[in-house]
Amino acid sequence: MKAPALAAALVACLAAGCATETSRQRVPEPTYAAAANSELVATNYRAADALMAHFGGTPASGPLIVATVVNIDALELSSTLGRMISEQVSARFSQRGWLMVEMKLRGSIYMRRGEGELILTREISDIARTNQAQAVIVGSYAVGATAVYVNLKIVQPVSNAVLSAYDYVLPANQEIRTMLGRNIGR
């Protein structure tokens, strides 16, 4: 009696393993249409629109600079997510008629390999003056168990006065975790 029960248990375990492997193989690759429906770009564009709505400046008043959005717990570090948020916010301002200074082409700022355009506080005034920028867009993100909290600000570089600010939340889904470069919420 023990042998047939053991054999049945072994068959059940193998069948369960095969079913799991089969279900993993059935996950379809994302299509262009599915990727186009990602909410990340639209969410970052809404954040940029909100910053513009509360900002007192105008495109005619001079260009803006966008610094890389950084990790709130390590301000000298960013991630693919932080760099992508910065790029998308800059793109949205540009689409709306603002002149944006592309910092990746400048040799006079602090560039940390793999981090992006990290502007040190003491350098903001110099960079803004050199580029005749009216303001700098800065930001940070905090990683939680199920969400990533993002804060963006437009700062007047001479006085460090916050001219506009916006907070929003991203889901800590697989896509966001991958851009953060580590698993969170597990």
Side-chain angles (χ1 to χ4, degrees):
M1 291 294 225
K2 291 183 182 181
L6 183 59
L10 182 59
V11 169
C13 287
L14 289 174
C18 291
T20 302
E21 188 61 34
T22 303
S23 65
R24 282 188 204 141
Q25 292 173 356
R26 288 187 199 160
V27 175
E29 287 287 321
T31 63
Y32 285 100
N37 288 327
S38 168
E39 286 294 314
L40 183 61
V41 176
T43 300
N44 289 327
Y45 279 9
R46 282 191 300 274
D49 290 342
L51 283 174
M52 281 181 253
H54 295 101
F55 178 43
T58 66
S61 298
L64 297 174
I65 295 172
V66 178
T68 299
V69 175
V70 297
N71 183 330
I72 192 73
D73 293 323
L75 297 175
E76 71 283 357
L77 298 176
S78 189
S79 62
T80 301
L81 177 65
R83 291 184 296 276
M84 187 51 54
I85 291 170
S86 300
E87 292 289 336
Q88 291 172 355
V89 167
S90 180
R92 186 58 161 191
F93 270 83
S94 182
Q95 291 167 3
R96 299 288 193 219
W98 294 83
L99 180 60
M100 305 303 292
V101 176
E102 179 55 68
M103 297 303 293
K104 288 188 293 296
L105 302 178
R106 309 291 299 183
S108 61
I109 63 169
Y110 172 63
M111 295 286 285
R112 181 176 173 146
R113 183 179 172 99
E115 298 302 331
E117 306 82 42
L118 298 176
I119 299 177
L120 301 176
T121 303
R122 64 184 174 275
E123 297 174 336
I124 289 178
S125 294
D126 293 339
I127 294 167
R129 185 174 41 256
T130 300
N131 291 286
Q132 299 178 338
Q134 63 176 305
V136 178
I137 301 171
V138 298
S140 60
Y141 62 85
V143 180
T146 61
V148 178
Y149 301 87
V150 182
N151 172 272
L152 299 175
K153 296 175 186 163
I154 299 179
V155 178
Q156 203 287 326
V158 175
S159 66
N160 290 331
V162 175
L163 305 173
S164 181
Y166 186 73
D167 293 297
Y168 61 107
V169 181
L170 301 172
N173 60 24
Q174 183 60 45
E175 190 74 13
I176 298 297
R177 286 192 305 268
T178 298
M179 287 195 282
L180 285 166
R182 62 190 173 105
N183 288 328
I184 59 173
R186 287 188 175 204

mmCIF file of all heavy atoms in Angstrom, residues 76-113:
data_model
loop_
_atom_site.group_PDB
_atom_site.id
_atom_site.type_symbol
_atom_site.label_atom_id
_atom_site.label_comp_id
_atom_site.label_asym_id
_atom_site.label_seq_id
_atom_site.Cartn_x
_atom_site.Cartn_y
_atom_site.Cartn_z
ATOM 1 N N GLU A 76 22.720 61.417 -3.299
ATOM 2 C CA GLU A 76 23.745 61.339 -4.341
ATOM 3 C C GLU A 76 23.474 60.186 -5.310
ATOM 4 O O GLU A 76 24.218 59.991 -6.260
ATOM 5 C CB GLU A 76 25.147 61.201 -3.726
ATOM 6 C CG GLU A 76 25.433 59.865 -3.085
ATOM 7 C CD GLU A 76 24.790 59.649 -1.703
ATOM 8 O OE1 GLU A 76 24.143 60.565 -1.178
ATOM 9 O OE2 GLU A 76 24.932 58.534 -1.166
ATOM 10 N N LEU A 77 22.383 59.437 -5.084
ATOM 11 C CA LEU A 77 22.061 58.282 -5.918
ATOM 12 C C LEU A 77 20.729 58.464 -6.632
ATOM 13 O O LEU A 77 19.808 59.082 -6.114
ATOM 14 C CB LEU A 77 21.983 57.010 -5.071
ATOM 15 C CG LEU A 77 23.259 56.590 -4.344
ATOM 16 C CD1 LEU A 77 22.997 55.373 -3.478
ATOM 17 C CD2 LEU A 77 24.376 56.320 -5.331
ATOM 18 N N SER A 78 20.672 57.888 -7.820
ATOM 19 C CA SER A 78 19.420 57.841 -8.554
ATOM 20 C C SER A 78 19.278 56.438 -9.124
ATOM 21 O O SER A 78 19.901 55.496 -8.631
ATOM 22 C CB SER A 78 19.391 58.907 -9.657
ATOM 23 O OG SER A 78 18.095 58.980 -10.218
ATOM 24 N N SER A 79 18.464 56.294 -10.134
ATOM 25 C CA SER A 79 18.189 55.003 -10.750
ATOM 26 C C SER A 79 17.658 55.267 -12.146
ATOM 27 O O SER A 79 17.440 56.424 -12.535
ATOM 28 C CB SER A 79 17.141 54.253 -9.927
ATOM 29 O OG SER A 79 15.935 55.001 -9.925
ATOM 30 N N THR A 80 17.407 54.210 -12.872
ATOM 31 C CA THR A 80 16.768 54.361 -14.178
ATOM 32 C C THR A 80 15.440 55.075 -14.011
ATOM 33 O O THR A 80 15.089 55.945 -14.814
ATOM 34 C CB THR A 80 16.565 52.974 -14.829
ATOM 35 O OG1 THR A 80 17.846 52.356 -14.972
ATOM 36 C CG2 THR A 80 15.877 53.080 -16.176
ATOM 37 N N LEU A 81 14.695 54.744 -12.962
ATOM 38 C CA LEU A 81 13.413 55.402 -12.718
ATOM 39 C C LEU A 81 13.605 56.905 -12.529
ATOM 40 O O LEU A 81 12.912 57.707 -13.159
ATOM 41 C CB LEU A 81 12.710 54.811 -11.495
ATOM 42 C CG LEU A 81 11.384 55.492 -11.135
ATOM 43 C CD1 LEU A 81 10.346 55.278 -12.233
ATOM 44 C CD2 LEU A 81 10.876 54.991 -9.799
ATOM 45 N N GLY A 82 14.532 57.307 -11.685
ATOM 46 C CA GLY A 82 14.766 58.737 -11.447
ATOM 47 C C GLY A 82 15.180 59.467 -12.707
ATOM 48 O O GLY A 82 14.701 60.579 -12.990
ATOM 49 N N ARG A 83 16.057 58.860 -13.482
ATOM 50 C CA ARG A 83 16.500 59.486 -14.727
ATOM 51 C C ARG A 83 15.357 59.573 -15.736
ATOM 52 O O ARG A 83 15.206 60.584 -16.437
ATOM 53 C CB ARG A 83 17.692 58.724 -15.309
ATOM 54 C CG ARG A 83 18.953 58.887 -14.463
ATOM 55 C CD ARG A 83 20.176 58.225 -15.083
ATOM 56 N NE ARG A 83 20.065 56.775 -15.199
ATOM 57 C CZ ARG A 83 20.346 55.913 -14.224
ATOM 58 N NH1 ARG A 83 20.745 56.354 -13.047
ATOM 59 N NH2 ARG A 83 20.237 54.610 -14.417
ATOM 60 N N MET A 84 14.520 58.536 -15.802
ATOM 61 C CA MET A 84 13.405 58.543 -16.750
ATOM 62 C C MET A 84 12.355 59.588 -16.356
ATOM 63 O O MET A 84 11.818 60.285 -17.226
ATOM 64 C CB MET A 84 12.768 57.150 -16.838
ATOM 65 C CG MET A 84 11.708 57.023 -17.917
ATOM 66 S SD MET A 84 12.177 57.578 -19.590
ATOM 67 C CE MET A 84 13.646 56.659 -19.903
ATOM 68 N N ILE A 85 12.063 59.720 -15.076
ATOM 69 C CA ILE A 85 11.129 60.767 -14.642
ATOM 70 C C ILE A 85 11.649 62.126 -15.082
ATOM 71 O O ILE A 85 10.910 62.941 -15.646
ATOM 72 C CB ILE A 85 10.908 60.724 -13.116
ATOM 73 C CG1 ILE A 85 10.131 59.466 -12.714
ATOM 74 C CG2 ILE A 85 10.175 61.982 -12.640
ATOM 75 C CD1 ILE A 85 10.089 59.219 -11.209
ATOM 76 N N SER A 86 12.938 62.394 -14.853
ATOM 77 C CA SER A 86 13.536 63.673 -15.248
ATOM 78 C C SER A 86 13.411 63.905 -16.751
ATOM 79 O O SER A 86 13.056 65.003 -17.193
ATOM 80 C CB SER A 86 15.010 63.718 -14.851
ATOM 81 O OG SER A 86 15.147 63.572 -13.470
ATOM 82 N N GLU A 87 13.704 62.881 -17.532
ATOM 83 C CA GLU A 87 13.621 62.999 -18.995
ATOM 84 C C GLU A 87 12.190 63.282 -19.443
ATOM 85 O O GLU A 87 11.965 64.121 -20.321
ATOM 86 C CB GLU A 87 14.121 61.709 -19.659
ATOM 87 C CG GLU A 87 15.599 61.450 -19.492
ATOM 88 C CD GLU A 87 16.479 62.391 -20.298
ATOM 89 O OE1 GLU A 87 16.022 62.950 -21.315
ATOM 90 O OE2 GLU A 87 17.638 62.569 -19.896
ATOM 91 N N GLN A 88 11.219 62.585 -18.858
ATOM 92 C CA GLN A 88 9.834 62.767 -19.277
ATOM 93 C C GLN A 88 9.281 64.121 -18.840
ATOM 94 O O GLN A 88 8.528 64.751 -19.588
ATOM 95 C CB GLN A 88 8.978 61.610 -18.763
ATOM 96 C CG GLN A 88 9.335 60.316 -19.480
ATOM 97 C CD GLN A 88 8.681 59.083 -18.896
ATOM 98 O OE1 GLN A 88 7.998 59.126 -17.878
ATOM 99 N NE2 GLN A 88 8.904 57.952 -19.546
ATOM 100 N N VAL A 89 9.661 64.590 -17.668
ATOM 101 C CA VAL A 89 9.238 65.924 -17.223
ATOM 102 C C VAL A 89 9.832 66.981 -18.150
ATOM 103 O O VAL A 89 9.138 67.907 -18.587
ATOM 104 C CB VAL A 89 9.632 66.161 -15.741
ATOM 105 C CG1 VAL A 89 9.489 67.623 -15.362
ATOM 106 C CG2 VAL A 89 8.775 65.277 -14.836
ATOM 107 N N SER A 90 11.104 66.849 -18.477
ATOM 108 C CA SER A 90 11.747 67.781 -19.404
ATOM 109 C C SER A 90 11.059 67.756 -20.770
ATOM 110 O O SER A 90 10.806 68.813 -21.371
ATOM 111 C CB SER A 90 13.228 67.434 -19.546
ATOM 112 O OG SER A 90 13.858 68.320 -20.445
ATOM 113 N N ALA A 91 10.743 66.572 -21.257
ATOM 114 C CA ALA A 91 10.067 66.446 -22.551
ATOM 115 C C ALA A 91 8.717 67.151 -22.536
ATOM 116 O O ALA A 91 8.354 67.851 -23.490
ATOM 117 C CB ALA A 91 9.889 64.973 -22.914
ATOM 118 N N ARG A 92 7.972 66.987 -21.439
ATOM 119 C CA ARG A 92 6.643 67.610 -21.369
ATOM 120 C C ARG A 92 6.745 69.132 -21.353
ATOM 121 O O ARG A 92 5.978 69.817 -22.030
ATOM 122 C CB ARG A 92 5.890 67.111 -20.134
ATOM 123 C CG ARG A 92 4.463 67.593 -20.082
ATOM 124 C CD ARG A 92 3.698 67.156 -21.314
ATOM 125 N NE ARG A 92 2.281 67.207 -21.073
ATOM 126 C CZ ARG A 92 1.391 66.697 -21.863
ATOM 127 N NH1 ARG A 92 1.766 66.090 -22.976
ATOM 128 N NH2 ARG A 92 0.115 66.783 -21.590
ATOM 129 N N PHE A 93 7.695 69.671 -20.585
ATOM 130 C CA PHE A 93 7.883 71.124 -20.586
ATOM 131 C C PHE A 93 8.243 71.600 -21.990
ATOM 132 O O PHE A 93 7.725 72.616 -22.463
ATOM 133 C CB PHE A 93 8.967 71.532 -19.581
ATOM 134 C CG PHE A 93 8.448 71.815 -18.204
ATOM 135 C CD1 PHE A 93 8.220 70.782 -17.309
ATOM 136 C CD2 PHE A 93 8.190 73.114 -17.779
ATOM 137 C CE1 PHE A 93 7.746 71.027 -16.033
ATOM 138 C CE2 PHE A 93 7.710 73.381 -16.514
ATOM 139 C CZ PHE A 93 7.482 72.344 -15.633
ATOM 140 N N SER A 94 9.116 70.880 -22.672
ATOM 141 C CA SER A 94 9.511 71.239 -24.029
ATOM 142 C C SER A 94 8.311 71.193 -24.983
ATOM 143 O O SER A 94 8.131 72.093 -25.810
ATOM 144 C CB SER A 94 10.614 70.286 -24.510
ATOM 145 O OG SER A 94 11.035 70.632 -25.798
ATOM 146 N N GLN A 95 7.474 70.171 -24.849
ATOM 147 C CA GLN A 95 6.275 70.070 -25.685
ATOM 148 C C GLN A 95 5.347 71.258 -25.484
ATOM 149 O O GLN A 95 4.622 71.659 -26.402
ATOM 150 C CB GLN A 95 5.503 68.786 -25.356
ATOM 151 C CG GLN A 95 6.194 67.526 -25.780
ATOM 152 C CD GLN A 95 5.545 66.284 -25.166
ATOM 153 O OE1 GLN A 95 4.533 66.366 -24.460
ATOM 154 N NE2 GLN A 95 6.133 65.122 -25.432
ATOM 155 N N ARG A 96 5.360 71.820 -24.292
ATOM 156 C CA ARG A 96 4.489 72.954 -23.958
ATOM 157 C C ARG A 96 5.141 74.309 -24.253
ATOM 158 O O ARG A 96 4.624 75.348 -23.872
ATOM 159 C CB ARG A 96 4.081 72.895 -22.482
ATOM 160 C CG ARG A 96 3.305 71.649 -22.106
ATOM 161 C CD ARG A 96 1.913 71.703 -22.668
ATOM 162 N NE ARG A 96 1.088 70.683 -22.052
ATOM 163 C CZ ARG A 96 0.194 69.986 -22.710
ATOM 164 N NH1 ARG A 96 -0.008 70.201 -23.980
ATOM 165 N NH2 ARG A 96 -0.512 69.074 -22.096
ATOM 166 N N GLY A 97 6.295 74.277 -24.927
ATOM 167 C CA GLY A 97 6.897 75.532 -25.372
ATOM 168 C C GLY A 97 8.016 76.098 -24.515
ATOM 169 O O GLY A 97 8.519 77.178 -24.793
ATOM 170 N N TRP A 98 8.418 75.394 -23.481
ATOM 171 C CA TRP A 98 9.500 75.857 -22.619
ATOM 172 C C TRP A 98 10.842 75.470 -23.229
ATOM 173 O O TRP A 98 11.001 74.378 -23.774
ATOM 174 C CB TRP A 98 9.386 75.231 -21.227
ATOM 175 C CG TRP A 98 8.172 75.688 -20.489
ATOM 176 C CD1 TRP A 98 6.906 75.193 -20.611
ATOM 177 C CD2 TRP A 98 8.103 76.722 -19.522
ATOM 178 N NE1 TRP A 98 6.055 75.857 -19.772
ATOM 179 C CE2 TRP A 98 6.770 76.804 -19.082
ATOM 180 C CE3 TRP A 98 9.050 77.580 -18.974
ATOM 181 C CZ2 TRP A 98 6.345 77.717 -18.143
ATOM 182 C CZ3 TRP A 98 8.627 78.485 -18.019
ATOM 183 C CH2 TRP A 98 7.292 78.559 -17.609
ATOM 184 N N LEU A 99 11.823 76.338 -23.108
ATOM 185 C CA LEU A 99 13.182 76.038 -23.527
ATOM 186 C C LEU A 99 13.855 75.307 -22.374
ATOM 187 O O LEU A 99 13.931 75.815 -21.254
ATOM 188 C CB LEU A 99 13.942 77.328 -23.854
ATOM 189 C CG LEU A 99 15.385 77.158 -24.320
ATOM 190 C CD1 LEU A 99 15.445 76.329 -25.595
ATOM 191 C CD2 LEU A 99 16.023 78.514 -24.526
ATOM 192 N N MET A 100 14.324 74.102 -22.651
ATOM 193 C CA MET A 100 14.945 73.271 -21.628
ATOM 194 C C MET A 100 16.428 73.127 -21.947
ATOM 195 O O MET A 100 16.789 72.817 -23.080
ATOM 196 C CB MET A 100 14.283 71.887 -21.580
ATOM 197 C CG MET A 100 12.779 71.908 -21.376
ATOM 198 S SD MET A 100 12.231 72.761 -19.896
ATOM 199 C CE MET A 100 12.837 71.656 -18.642
ATOM 200 N N VAL A 101 17.281 73.325 -20.947
ATOM 201 C CA VAL A 101 18.714 73.153 -21.129
ATOM 202 C C VAL A 101 19.027 71.673 -20.972
ATOM 203 O O VAL A 101 18.691 71.068 -19.953
ATOM 204 C CB VAL A 101 19.514 73.978 -20.087
ATOM 205 C CG1 VAL A 101 21.005 73.709 -20.223
ATOM 206 C CG2 VAL A 101 19.207 75.460 -20.241
ATOM 207 N N GLU A 102 19.652 71.079 -21.972
ATOM 208 C CA GLU A 102 20.019 69.661 -21.926
ATOM 209 C C GLU A 102 21.343 69.537 -21.192
ATOM 210 O O GLU A 102 22.392 69.869 -21.722
ATOM 211 C CB GLU A 102 20.128 69.087 -23.337
ATOM 212 C CG GLU A 102 20.538 67.629 -23.382
ATOM 213 C CD GLU A 102 19.654 66.718 -22.561
ATOM 214 O OE1 GLU A 102 18.485 66.520 -22.910
ATOM 215 O OE2 GLU A 102 20.150 66.211 -21.534
ATOM 216 N N MET A 103 21.274 69.063 -19.956
ATOM 217 C CA MET A 103 22.452 69.020 -19.097
ATOM 218 C C MET A 103 23.432 67.919 -19.479
ATOM 219 O O MET A 103 24.612 68.017 -19.160
ATOM 220 C CB MET A 103 22.027 68.860 -17.635
ATOM 221 C CG MET A 103 21.200 70.029 -17.117
ATOM 222 S SD MET A 103 22.019 71.619 -17.277
ATOM 223 C CE MET A 103 23.343 71.402 -16.115
ATOM 224 N N LYS A 104 22.982 66.896 -20.168
ATOM 225 C CA LYS A 104 23.906 65.815 -20.532
ATOM 226 C C LYS A 104 24.970 66.291 -21.517
ATOM 227 O O LYS A 104 25.989 65.655 -21.676
ATOM 228 C CB LYS A 104 23.141 64.624 -21.107
ATOM 229 C CG LYS A 104 22.358 63.865 -20.052
ATOM 230 C CD LYS A 104 21.770 62.582 -20.580
ATOM 231 C CE LYS A 104 20.699 62.746 -21.594
ATOM 232 N NZ LYS A 104 19.473 63.390 -21.183
ATOM 233 N N LEU A 105 24.728 67.409 -22.165
ATOM 234 C CA LEU A 105 25.691 67.938 -23.124
ATOM 235 C C LEU A 105 26.650 68.943 -22.482
ATOM 236 O O LEU A 105 27.529 69.464 -23.148
ATOM 237 C CB LEU A 105 24.956 68.602 -24.297
ATOM 238 C CG LEU A 105 24.003 67.685 -25.061
ATOM 239 C CD1 LEU A 105 23.296 68.461 -26.169
ATOM 240 C CD2 LEU A 105 24.747 66.498 -25.641
ATOM 241 N N ARG A 106 26.463 69.214 -21.212
ATOM 242 C CA ARG A 106 27.297 70.195 -20.516
ATOM 243 C C ARG A 106 28.418 69.488 -19.774
ATOM 244 O O ARG A 106 28.201 68.492 -19.119
ATOM 245 C CB ARG A 106 26.463 70.997 -19.500
ATOM 246 C CG ARG A 106 25.186 71.603 -20.044
ATOM 247 C CD ARG A 106 25.419 72.691 -21.009
ATOM 248 N NE ARG A 106 26.140 73.761 -20.366
ATOM 249 C CZ ARG A 106 26.453 74.893 -20.943
ATOM 250 N NH1 ARG A 106 26.117 75.104 -22.180
ATOM 251 N NH2 ARG A 106 27.122 75.809 -20.305
ATOM 252 N N GLY A 107 29.605 70.029 -19.837
ATOM 253 C CA GLY A 107 30.739 69.444 -19.131
ATOM 254 C C GLY A 107 30.981 70.085 -17.784
ATOM 255 O O GLY A 107 31.844 69.657 -17.029
ATOM 256 N N SER A 108 30.203 71.113 -17.446
ATOM 257 C CA SER A 108 30.493 71.874 -16.240
ATOM 258 C C SER A 108 29.666 71.471 -15.026
ATOM 259 O O SER A 108 29.646 72.179 -14.038
ATOM 260 C CB SER A 108 30.247 73.363 -16.516
ATOM 261 O OG SER A 108 28.891 73.565 -16.860
ATOM 262 N N ILE A 109 28.971 70.341 -15.092
ATOM 263 C CA ILE A 109 28.176 69.911 -13.953
ATOM 264 C C ILE A 109 28.717 68.614 -13.400
ATOM 265 O O ILE A 109 29.492 67.923 -14.054
ATOM 266 C CB ILE A 109 26.684 69.747 -14.308
ATOM 267 C CG1 ILE A 109 26.500 68.642 -15.355
ATOM 268 C CG2 ILE A 109 26.084 71.048 -14.756
ATOM 269 C CD1 ILE A 109 25.074 68.253 -15.563
ATOM 270 N N TYR A 110 28.314 68.296 -12.216
ATOM 271 C CA TYR A 110 28.738 67.064 -11.562
ATOM 272 C C TYR A 110 27.996 65.905 -12.202
ATOM 273 O O TYR A 110 26.789 65.824 -12.160
ATOM 274 C CB TYR A 110 28.404 67.165 -10.076
ATOM 275 C CG TYR A 110 28.616 65.897 -9.302
ATOM 276 C CD1 TYR A 110 29.878 65.326 -9.173
ATOM 277 C CD2 TYR A 110 27.540 65.272 -8.693
ATOM 278 C CE1 TYR A 110 30.059 64.173 -8.447
ATOM 279 C CE2 TYR A 110 27.714 64.110 -7.963
ATOM 280 C CZ TYR A 110 28.972 63.565 -7.848
ATOM 281 O OH TYR A 110 29.142 62.421 -7.132
ATOM 282 N N MET A 111 28.731 65.009 -12.823
ATOM 283 C CA MET A 111 28.136 63.829 -13.440
ATOM 284 C C MET A 111 28.719 62.605 -12.773
ATOM 285 O O MET A 111 29.923 62.388 -12.809
ATOM 286 C CB MET A 111 28.460 63.765 -14.935
ATOM 287 C CG MET A 111 27.858 64.894 -15.752
ATOM 288 S SD MET A 111 26.103 64.696 -15.995
ATOM 289 C CE MET A 111 26.076 63.410 -17.197
ATOM 290 N N ARG A 112 27.894 61.813 -12.152
ATOM 291 C CA ARG A 112 28.338 60.567 -11.548
ATOM 292 C C ARG A 112 27.933 59.444 -12.476
ATOM 293 O O ARG A 112 26.760 59.320 -12.830
ATOM 294 C CB ARG A 112 27.685 60.399 -10.178
ATOM 295 C CG ARG A 112 28.122 59.143 -9.474
ATOM 296 C CD ARG A 112 27.521 59.091 -8.099
ATOM 297 N NE ARG A 112 27.824 57.814 -7.515
ATOM 298 C CZ ARG A 112 28.040 57.644 -6.244
ATOM 299 N NH1 ARG A 112 27.985 58.659 -5.417
ATOM 300 N NH2 ARG A 112 28.307 56.453 -5.785
ATOM 301 N N ARG A 113 28.877 58.633 -12.869
ATOM 302 C CA ARG A 113 28.612 57.568 -13.829
ATOM 303 C C ARG A 113 27.411 56.732 -13.391
ATOM 304 O O ARG A 113 27.348 56.233 -12.285
ATOM 305 C CB ARG A 113 29.843 56.685 -13.958
ATOM 306 C CG ARG A 113 29.693 55.598 -14.980
ATOM 307 C CD ARG A 113 30.971 54.786 -15.059
ATOM 308 N NE ARG A 113 30.799 53.640 -15.891
ATOM 309 C CZ ARG A 113 31.181 53.572 -17.153
ATOM 310 N NH1 ARG A 113 31.782 54.593 -17.695
ATOM 311 N NH2 ARG A 113 30.977 52.491 -17.857
#
